[in-house]
């Protein structure tokens, strides 16, 4: 009779094959957690009540832009690091204006720059220039032109694939 000598468990292939599945799941879970943590989106507000009160103020700024017959056209350079802005309507041209780019998901990508007035004025339009950090690639941006005093604002969504120009019109909430 020949007796088989049994090997130590860790020299057998079956325990390793059976443990491979759970080990792969643990590694995949840790990898998924790392990816989610490093690419976290800023979509949820910490203080939704305060944000809700702020919405009413923003609606007043939209109504003020409508009352002043405001409009703007933002022409972003193909490199995505400068813009020309044409603004028309009843506003104080000596008041500084701001151009705001809001990333749809990552707050750290948002940019606010002060517009500098150019000498050239075409009809009732005032021409402004802006230089900023190169905009990261994304499907769309939220673009806003506003006065520094916070009296009025114009904003809209800019879909990057549709060109380098975005027209900003005041929102008329009475029609909705």
């Amino acid at each position: 009779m020949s007796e088989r000598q049994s090997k130590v468990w860790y020299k057998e292939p079956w325990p390793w094959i059976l443990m491979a599945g759970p080990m792969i799941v643990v590694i995949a879970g840790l990898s998924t957690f790392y990816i989610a943590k490093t690419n976290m989106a800023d979509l949820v507000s910490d203080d939704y009540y305060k944000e809700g009160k702020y919405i009413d103020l923003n609606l007043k700024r939209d109504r003020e832009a409508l009352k002043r017959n405001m409009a703007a056209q933002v022409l972003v350079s193909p490199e995505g690091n400068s813009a020309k802005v044409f603004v028309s309507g009843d506003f104080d041209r000596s008041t500084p204006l701001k151009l705001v780019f809001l990333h749809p998901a990552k707050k750290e990508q948002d940019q606010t720059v002060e517009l500098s007035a150019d000498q050239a004025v075409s009809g009732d339009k005032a021409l402004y220039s802006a230089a900023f950090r190169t905009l990261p690639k994304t499907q769309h941006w939220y673009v806003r032109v506003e006065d520094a005093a916070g009296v009025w604002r114009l904003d809209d969504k800019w879909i990057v694939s549709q060109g380098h120009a975005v027209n900003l019109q005041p929102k008329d909430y009475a029609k909705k």
Side-chain angles (χ1 to χ4, degrees), residues 9-24:
W9 73 270
Y10 55 84
K11 291 185 179 181
E12 293 287 337
W14 288 111
W16 295 108
I17 291 171
L18 293 173
M19 285 189 286
M23 283 196 292
I24 290 170

Side-chain angles (χ1 to χ4, degrees), residues 11-12 22-23 49 53 59 61 74 79 93 97 105 118 121-122 138 151 154:
K11 291 185 179 181
E12 293 287 337
M23 283 196 292
Y49 177 73
K53 290 186 347 186
L59 295 178
R61 293 171 64 197
V74 180
E79 297 81 23
R93 285 164 168 62
L97 301 182
D118 287 350
V121 176
S122 168
T138 188
V151 176
L154 300 166

Side-chain angles (χ1 to χ4, degrees), residues 13-57:
W14 288 111
W16 295 108
I17 291 171
L18 293 173
M19 285 189 286
M23 283 196 292
I24 290 170
V25 170
V26 168
I27 291 169
L30 292 173
S31 300
T32 303
F33 176 76
Y34 174 76
I35 290 169
K37 189 72 174 161
T38 56
N39 295 316
M40 188 171 20
D42 301 324
L43 298 175
V44 179
S45 173
D46 291 334
D47 191 355
Y48 62 90
Y49 177 73
K50 187 176 178 181
E51 294 276 333
K53 290 186 347 186
Y54 189 66
I55 288 172
D56 188 46
L57 175 64

Side-chain angles (χ1 to χ4, degrees), residues 4-174:
R4 282 186 18 171
Q5 182 152 0
S6 65
K7 294 189 225 175
V8 189
W9 73 270
Y10 55 84
K11 291 185 179 181
E12 293 287 337
W14 288 111
W16 295 108
I17 291 171
L18 293 173
M19 285 189 286
M23 283 196 292
I24 290 170
V25 170
V26 168
I27 291 169
L30 292 173
S31 300
T32 303
F33 176 76
Y34 174 76
I35 290 169
K37 189 72 174 161
T38 56
N39 295 316
M40 188 171 20
D42 301 324
L43 298 175
V44 179
S45 173
D46 291 334
D47 191 355
Y48 62 90
Y49 177 73
K50 187 176 178 181
E51 294 276 333
K53 290 186 347 186
Y54 189 66
I55 288 172
D56 188 46
L57 175 64
N58 287 335
L59 295 178
K60 288 178 186 173
R61 293 171 64 197
D62 292 336
R63 285 191 286 272
E64 185 65 28
L66 185 65
K67 186 171 79 174
R68 293 171 179 247
N69 199 26
M70 301 289 301
Q73 183 179 37
V74 180
L75 304 172
V76 181
S77 69
E79 297 81 23
N81 61 0
S82 64
K84 293 286 186 188
V85 181
F86 296 91
V87 182
S88 64
D90 179 25
F91 69 101
D92 183 9
R93 285 164 168 62
S94 64
T95 302
L97 301 182
K98 295 187 289 185
L99 176 63
V100 181
F101 288 98
L102 300 168
H103 191 277
K106 295 186 177 184
K107 195 171 189 168
E108 70 269 5
Q109 301 291 342
D110 295 353
Q111 293 190 48
T112 301
V113 293
E114 190 167 318
L115 294 171
S116 51
D118 287 350
Q119 295 298 331
V121 176
S122 168
D124 69 336
K125 293 182 179 180
L127 176 61
Y128 296 88
S129 298
F132 41 86
R133 291 175 308 184
T134 302
L135 296 172
K137 300 288 183 208
T138 188
Q139 296 294 316
H140 67 275
W141 287 91
Y142 296 103
V143 181
R144 180 183 303 151
V145 173
E146 59 190 7
D147 66 327
V151 176
W152 58 267
R153 75 171 184 176
L154 300 166
D155 62 348
D156 207 346
K157 181 195 256 185
W158 169 40
I159 300 172
V160 179
S161 64
Q162 294 180 351
H164 295 283
V166 59
N167 293 315
L168 308 176
Q169 299 292 327
K171 307 282 189 290
D172 188 3
Y173 295 103

